[in-house]
């Protein structure tokens, strides 16, 4: 079990520390030139998570679990601090104290939710209190379906209006993932009665189809942006960022489906 704890901890930190680092970069791009203090803070967080990401690759699955537990606690505190910074920025935007900022309020709220997710995951790992499989399936899908719906909205608003076909595709994905999110929240409110294996299996199958379609759309958009073949104000790193998060969701669905099959086989 200690090997599983170490490998899961490192996997979470390697993925999410890079995401947090990139959030700092995107926030900095959206600040006005006169927002020098906010730019300085964003740069500091970029450096913090860049170092965390670097250090995470110096460990391996054979590392002492107690060392990883201390590393998790350190990274958890960094995640809590960047969450507070993002919420501060969101408050400034909503109070109209950053007029002309290019950071959408929903985007700042979105990235703060991801920081909170990262912080909570490290707390769960260190406490050894990971959710039972049925609860985890529902909660992870509620979280990631909203993330995917947000991505579609951001893409639609950052594409040039003349890219009508791509804008329409993004809008359709936004609507589709909003509906999937509503279904997931309905399932959440029906716990524990909704936690039968066939129901959860069907739930994952349905989400997998939609997530795979979104992954394909994001991959195409990323390649077109990198090749300068579509008109947008989407930074190439942002295109790659949202693509990696969609792939992460797909891999989580794969893991859950594998675990459900193992549970079903054990009951036979």
């Amino acid at each position: 079990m200690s090997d599983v704890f170490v490998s899961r901890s490192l996997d979470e930190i390697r993925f999410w520390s890079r995401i947090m680092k990139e959030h700092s970069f995107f926030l900095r791009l959206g600040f006005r030139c006169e927002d020098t203090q906010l730019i300085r803070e964003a740069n500091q967080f970029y450096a913090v998570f860049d170092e965390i990401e670097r250090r995470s690759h110096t460990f391996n699955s054979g590392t002492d679990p107690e060392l990883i537990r201390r590393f998790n606690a350190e990274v958890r505190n960094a995640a809590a601090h960047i969450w507070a910074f993002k919420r501060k920025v969101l408050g400034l935007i909503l109070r109209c104290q950053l007029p002309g900022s290019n950071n959408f309020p929903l985007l700042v709220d979105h990235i703060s939710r991801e920081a909170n997710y990262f912080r909570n995951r490290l707390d769960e790992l260190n406490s050894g209190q990971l959710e039972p499989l049925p609860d985890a399936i529902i909660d992870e899908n509620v979280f990631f379906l909203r993330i995917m719906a947000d991505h579609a909205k951001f893409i639609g608003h950052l594409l040039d209006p003349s890219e009508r076909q791509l804008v329409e595709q993004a809008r359709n994905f936004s609507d589709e993932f909003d509906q999937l999110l509503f279904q997931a929240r309905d399932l959440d409110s029906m716990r524990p009665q909704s936690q039968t294996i066939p129901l959860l299996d069907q739930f994952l199958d349905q989400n997998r189809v939609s997530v795979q379609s979104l992954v394909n759309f994001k991959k195409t958009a990323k390649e077109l942006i990198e090749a300068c073949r579509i008109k947008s104000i989407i930074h190439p790193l942002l295109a790659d960022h949202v693509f990696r998060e969609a792939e992460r969701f797909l891999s989580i669905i794969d893991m859950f489906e594998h675990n459900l099959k193992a549970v079903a086989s054990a009951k036979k």
Side-chain angles (χ1 to χ4, degrees), residues 206-225:
Q206 181 180 17
N207 290 345
R208 158 183 284 288
V209 172
S210 295
V211 176
Q212 184 62 67
S213 295
L214 184 61
V215 166
N216 295 341
F217 172 73
K218 288 178 175 179
K219 183 175 186 292
T220 300
K222 178 174 84 79
E223 291 169 351
L224 291 172
I225 288 166

Side-chain angles (χ1 to χ4, degrees), residues 141 204 207-208 211 249-257:
N141 277 270
L204 289 173
N207 290 345
R208 158 183 284 288
V211 176
F249 186 20
L250 205 55
S251 71
I252 289 171
I253 291 175
D254 284 342
M255 178 191 70
F256 283 146
E257 289 184 328

Side-chain angles (χ1 to χ4, degrees), residues 25-71:
F25 175 71
F26 300 142
L27 284 170
R28 186 183 71 197
L29 286 182
F31 291 138
R32 306 165 303 175
C33 59
E34 62 264 35
D35 298 324
T36 53
Q37 177 58 32
L38 293 175
I39 291 170
R40 186 158 43 247
E41 289 182 75
N43 285 336
Q44 288 170 349
F45 279 116
Y46 185 96
V48 165
F49 283 99
D50 186 52
E51 176 63 12
I52 287 171
E53 183 186 13
R54 185 197 67 77
R55 287 173 59 199
S56 72
H57 289 283
T58 66
F59 303 121
N60 56 47
S61 59
T63 302
D64 180 3
E66 190 53 41
L67 182 61
I68 297 300
R69 189 167 280 105
R70 291 198 295 272
F71 187 43

Side-chain angles (χ1 to χ4, degrees), residues 185-218:
R185 285 175 170 163
D186 287 341
L187 197 62
D188 184 22
S189 70
M190 297 174 190
R191 282 196 266 193
Q193 287 77 12
S194 65
Q195 297 182 349
T196 66
I197 289 179
L199 192 60
L200 291 173
D201 195 39
Q202 187 270 342
F203 173 63
L204 289 173
D205 281 345
Q206 181 180 17
N207 290 345
R208 158 183 284 288
V209 172
S210 295
V211 176
Q212 184 62 67
S213 295
L214 184 61
V215 166
N216 295 341
F217 172 73
K218 288 178 175 179

Side-chain angles (χ1 to χ4, degrees), residues 65-252:
E66 190 53 41
L67 182 61
I68 297 300
R69 189 167 280 105
R70 291 198 295 272
F71 187 43
N72 283 353
E74 178 187 343
V75 178
R76 184 261 179 215
N77 288 337
H81 284 115
I82 198 171
W83 173 84
F85 174 63
K86 291 167 177 176
R87 299 309 289 182
K88 178 180 76 172
V89 171
L90 178 60
L92 291 171
I93 295 170
L94 293 178
R95 292 193 298 273
C96 300
Q97 293 178 320
L98 288 178
S101 167
N102 286 321
N103 291 310
F104 292 132
L106 180 61
L107 183 143
V108 182
D109 177 65
H110 170 99
I111 63 176
S112 74
R113 279 183 266 124
E114 292 186 343
N116 190 53
Y117 171 94
F118 185 25
R119 173 179 60 180
N120 290 343
R121 179 48 47 85
L122 292 173
D123 281 339
E124 291 170 354
L125 284 164
N126 266 13
S127 67
Q129 295 180 343
L130 292 175
E131 288 185 303
L133 180 61
D135 290 327
I137 288 173
I138 294 173
D139 288 340
E140 290 285 306
N141 277 270
V142 168
F143 173 78
F144 273 101
L145 288 170
R146 186 177 181 189
I147 294 298
M148 297 301 108
D150 288 348
H151 285 174
K153 293 174 176 64
F154 301 146
I155 292 168
H157 283 282
L158 294 172
L159 288 164
D160 189 81
S162 68
E163 294 284 1
R164 289 173 176 82
Q165 185 176 358
L166 288 174
V167 170
E168 182 65 21
Q169 284 181 269
R171 184 180 299 114
N172 290 339
F173 275 118
S174 172
D175 292 342
E176 180 178 354
F177 278 89
D178 279 343
Q179 291 303 314
L180 291 172
L181 176 60
F182 296 151
Q183 290 180 31
R185 285 175 170 163
D186 287 341
L187 197 62
D188 184 22
S189 70
M190 297 174 190
R191 282 196 266 193
Q193 287 77 12
S194 65
Q195 297 182 349
T196 66
I197 289 179
L199 192 60
L200 291 173
D201 195 39
Q202 187 270 342
F203 173 63
L204 289 173
D205 281 345
Q206 181 180 17
N207 290 345
R208 158 183 284 288
V209 172
S210 295
V211 176
Q212 184 62 67
S213 295
L214 184 61
V215 166
N216 295 341
F217 172 73
K218 288 178 175 179
K219 183 175 186 292
T220 300
K222 178 174 84 79
E223 291 169 351
L224 291 172
I225 288 166
E226 289 171 349
C228 195
R229 292 176 57 193
I230 59 174
K231 301 178 289 298
S232 78
I233 56 171
I234 300 173
H235 193 287
L237 181 59
L238 178 59
D240 184 61
H241 179 98
V242 298
F243 170 67
R244 277 183 275 117
E245 288 190 356
E247 282 200 314
R248 179 78 171 185
F249 186 20
L250 205 55
S251 71
I252 289 171

